């Protein structure tokens, strides 16, 4: 099984276009939050309509997993906590979204919402406890914020991670956690696109502008993870202990770069290196 992982597209339509072109070549697309952009000049309701059209097409191509991020919150619950109502409505498209569990083969995917208060936080805690009772060989979470005190949540001056997530990871030890939120973490000293907490791998692709977006590919059967940005291409062995730095990809696998599949920005050292160091710390 091969999974394409993105987050923090923030209503970048060229990146959504690329996602549609890449999706046919993956078994699962994991979108780890912040499809929308609260700072955009485009009306929020219009953003939701456009992104929903992309998601409709995407769901017709492959399996899709979508968790909400802080930019996706469009409503308050009856209890007054912010929620992403429109993300929940994506379930009608056959997309696994906030609060869902999805089993594909021997892998359980658990999709966590962005939490803005104690009630949603408690629902996540209950969701993880329930899912833990039926976990198969692999258990992968989608959770927009990365864990606290991890290189994947390092913003340059402080960590922007989720303390509760770090505690949930310590308690349940899932196989992987897919996050985003901290845009520059993979590009700055002491930050990273990957980490390991106990036996759990944690990933945060980061954010860059232009097409294609920065992304992670999980080749689960081969036990490899690849990170591809405008200026770098790295990989790690998921079956080995944590090692830093990640290995540079001298020769990318043919399935990753072959013509008609994924564009190959990672090996083009002359490409624009407009990376996330110019972007806000989180999104």
């Amino acid at each position: 099984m091969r999974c394409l992982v993105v987050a923090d597209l923030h209503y970048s339509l060229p990146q959504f276009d690329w996602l549609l072109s890449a999706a046919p070549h993956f078994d699962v697309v994991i979108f780890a939050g912040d499809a929308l952009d609260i700072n955009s000049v485009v009306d929020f309701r219009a953003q939701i309509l456009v992104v929903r059209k992309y998601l409709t097409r995407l769901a017709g191509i492959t399996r899709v997993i979508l968790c909400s991020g802080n930019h996706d919150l469009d409503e308050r619950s009856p209890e007054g906590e912010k929620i992403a109502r429109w993300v929940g409505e994506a379930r009608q498209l056959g997309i696994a979204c906030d609060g869902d569990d999805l089993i594909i083969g021997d892998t359980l995917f658990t999709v966590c919402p962005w939490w803005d208060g104690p009630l949603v936080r408690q629902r996540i805690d209950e969701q993880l406890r329930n899912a833990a009772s039926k976990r198969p060989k692999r258990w992968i979470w989608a959770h927009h914020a990365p864990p606290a005190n991890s290189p994947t949540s390092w913003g340059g001056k402080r960590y922007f991670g989720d303390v509760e997530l770090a505690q949930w990871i310590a308690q349940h030890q899932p196989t992987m956690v897919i996050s985003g939120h901290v845009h520059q973490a993979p590009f700055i000293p002491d930050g990273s696109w990957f980490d390991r907490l106990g036996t759990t791998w944690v990933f945060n692709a980061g954010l860059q502008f232009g097409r294609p977006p920065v992304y992670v590919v999980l080749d689960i059967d081969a036990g490899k993870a690849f990170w591809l940005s405008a200026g770098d291409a790295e990989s790690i062995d998921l079956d080995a202990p944590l090692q830093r730095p990640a290995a540079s990809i001298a020769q990318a696998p043919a399935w990753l770069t072959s013509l008609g599949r994924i564009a190959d920005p990672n090996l083009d050292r002359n490409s624009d290196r407009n990376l996330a160091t110019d972007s806000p710390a989180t999104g």
Side-chain angles (χ1 to χ4, degrees):
M1 180 165 56
R2 291 181 181 136
C3 304
L4 175 61
V5 175
V6 296
D8 299 294
L9 298 196
H10 288 292
Y11 199 65
S12 172
L13 300 189
Q15 294 188 355
F16 276 98
D17 288 337
W18 178 90
L19 188 59
L20 285 176
S21 69
H25 310 290
F26 292 91
D27 302 296
V28 184
V29 169
I30 304 175
F31 198 137
D34 277 4
L36 307 182
D37 185 358
I38 59 176
N39 298 314
S40 173
V41 297
V42 179
D43 181 82
F44 208 60
R45 292 167 296 182
Q47 291 186 49
I48 291 172
L49 288 174
V50 172
V51 169
R52 183 179 175 87
K53 290 181 179 180
Y54 276 103
L55 292 174
T56 300
R57 295 176 60 188
L58 197 61
I61 297 171
T62 190
R63 294 287 190 99
V64 181
I65 293 169
L66 171 68
C67 74
S68 57
N70 54 305
H71 276 248
D72 298 320
L73 307 177
D74 65 333
E75 195 171 278
R76 288 190 179 273
S77 70
E79 299 81 12
E81 295 183 3
K82 292 182 179 179
I83 59 172
R85 174 190 49 78
W86 73 273
V87 170
E89 292 175 349
R91 190 174 294 110
Q92 301 169 6
L93 305 175
I95 292 173
C97 54
D98 290 353
D100 288 343
D101 290 317
L102 173 67
I103 295 179
I104 303 177
D106 58 2
T107 303
L108 170 64
F109 295 89
T110 294
V111 192
C112 302
W114 177 270
W115 65 272
D116 187 61
L119 295 179
V120 177
R121 180 183 61 195
Q122 180 61 31
R123 284 200 288 270
I124 295 174
D125 186 71
E126 294 171 357
Q127 177 187 7
L128 296 177
R129 290 178 185 274
N130 291 335
S133 66
K134 59 185 178 183
R135 62 182 297 173
K137 178 181 178 181
R138 284 185 290 261
W139 190 15
I140 299 176
W141 302 355
H143 184 285
H144 181 60
N149 302 317
S150 164
T152 58
S153 65
W154 177 243
K157 294 183 178 179
R158 67 179 182 91
Y159 293 98
F160 290 88
D162 189 313
V163 173
E164 283 75 10
L165 175 61
Q167 295 172 348
W168 287 325
I169 291 173
Q171 179 180 0
H172 297 293
Q173 289 291 288
T175 311
M176 301 178 193
V177 175
I178 310 301
S179 298
H181 190 54
V182 187
H183 298 169
Q184 67 267 52
F187 305 104
I188 60 177
D190 300 321
S192 181
W193 62 274
F194 68 96
D195 194 17
R196 197 168 194 180
L197 304 179
T199 60
T200 302
W201 288 104
V202 180
F203 299 101
N204 172 14
L207 179 149
Q208 69 181 15
F209 301 105
R211 172 187 169 123
V214 61
Y215 57 99
V216 171
V217 172
L218 303 174
D219 191 347
I220 292 177
D221 295 331
K224 299 287 185 182
F226 302 87
W227 177 72
L228 298 99
S229 73
D232 291 290
E234 298 178 350
S235 68
I236 60 172
D237 185 346
L238 298 175
D239 297 323
L242 176 68
Q243 297 182 13
R244 299 192 186 281
S248 295
I249 303 176
Q251 184 174 0
W255 64 264
L256 190 61
T257 60
S258 59
L259 184 64
R261 294 204 170 205
I262 298 206
D264 187 17
N266 52 305
L267 301 181
D268 180 6
R269 299 298 173 176
N270 294 319
S271 61
D272 181 12
R273 298 176 64 94
N274 187 10
L275 302 180
T277 51
D278 293 329
S279 69
T282 60

